[in-house]
Amino acid sequence: NDVFRGVSGGERKRVSIAEALSARAAVYCWDNATRGLDASTALEYAQAIRTTTNLMKSASFVTIYQASENIYNLFDKVTVLYEGRQIYFGPVERARQYFIDMGYGPLNRQSTTEFLTSVTDPLGRFAREGYEHKVPHTPAEFEEYWLKSQEYKVLQTTITQYNSTVDADETKKSFKKSLSKEKSLFTRANSRYT
């Protein structure tokens, strides 16, 4: 109202981060996290997510639409989906080149995020000269290309290596032990609440 200043979008978003962090989760999901924020506030918000992820040693899954290059570069990995099909998952610094190697080219001055989005739009993507009949066109063709790619093979190897170092039963026991220590003395043992 006229007497009291309202809370800005950036302030609301920062409260959301603080509220989520109070749960001390291992994984956070942020859907369209920067919607409604101006460019500088959106960057600050993404930096806050990156910082908290590093400090808390947690993982964050973030969907952002129309992200700037500065925001994009804060992330470790990117997933590109085309009509529900995964057509790339890997390091952010490799994604652009992956699609260029596939045969698509970015427009002049097109940011990485704009290019990655345009690849999934039949009207927004442009095959490089000589690749017009070699590039995938449908979501299924893109997915097939991804599943046969060297990047996918590297991803599968990384997953296999990680899984060989983790004892699922031990992790489950450790998790249950941690949860039980957080429970209040007056909470039932099988309660989901702490």
Side-chain angles (χ1 to χ4, degrees):
N1 64 30
D2 294 337
V3 178
F4 298 105
R5 181 177 88 63
V7 177
S8 73
E11 290 168 331
R12 277 194 301 275
K13 296 285 186 176
R14 285 188 282 279
V15 168
S16 294
I17 291 176
E19 184 179 36
L21 291 176
S22 69
R24 294 177 295 177
V27 177
Y28 295 94
C29 298
W30 305 96
D31 184 24
N32 204 2
T34 59
R35 182 172 181 246
L37 300 179
D38 62 72
S40 65
T41 306
L43 177 58
E44 286 177 14
Y45 186 70
Q47 287 170 331
I49 292 173
R50 171 85 254 181
T51 300
T52 54
T53 299
N54 291 346
L55 290 173
M56 304 290 286
K57 296 185 183 346
S58 60
S60 290
F61 293 90
V62 183
T63 60
I64 297 181
Y65 306 98
Q66 299 177 329
S68 70
E69 199 73 19
N70 289 333
I71 291 174
Y72 176 78
N73 289 324
L74 290 171
F75 296 95
D76 298 320
K77 294 190 171 35
V78 62
T79 298
V80 181
L81 301 175
Y82 187 1
E83 292 186 8
R85 296 173 185 259
Q86 184 181 62
I87 62 171
Y88 178 82
F89 174 77
V92 294
E93 63 273 1
R94 179 72 186 108
R96 183 184 193 100
Q97 192 60 48
Y98 171 80
F99 289 103
I100 291 171
D101 292 346
M102 181 186 286
Y104 286 102
L107 299 174
N108 289 337
R109 300 174 51 104
Q110 190 174 37
S111 72
T112 301
T113 56
E114 290 169 337
F115 176 55
L116 297 180
T117 301
S118 73
V119 168
T120 65
D121 177 5
L123 300 176
R125 64 178 176 239
F126 300 96
R128 295 183 5 235
E129 190 174 322
Y131 284 87
E132 297 84 357
H133 302 291
K134 298 177 184 175
V135 293
H137 296 283
T138 67
E141 290 171 353
F142 271 91
E143 182 182 42
E144 181 181 356
Y145 184 97
W146 162 243
L147 295 174
K148 292 179 179 177
S149 72
Q150 183 61 34
E151 289 82 355
Y152 183 77
K153 289 175 186 155
V154 168
L155 173 63
Q156 293 305 303
T157 301
T158 303
I159 291 170
T160 301
Q161 288 172 346
Y162 175 79
N163 286 339
S164 71
T165 65
V166 176
D167 180 356
D169 291 331
E170 188 59 38
T171 301
K172 189 174 181 179
K173 286 178 190 174
S174 175
F175 179 69
K176 285 185 174 186
K177 184 178 178 181
S178 173
L179 281 179
S180 69
K181 285 184 177 181
E182 288 184 7
K183 289 206 180 282
S184 168
L185 282 162
F186 305 105
T187 304
R188 289 184 309 230
N190 62 351
S191 173
R192 294 182 181 171
Y193 303 101
T194 56

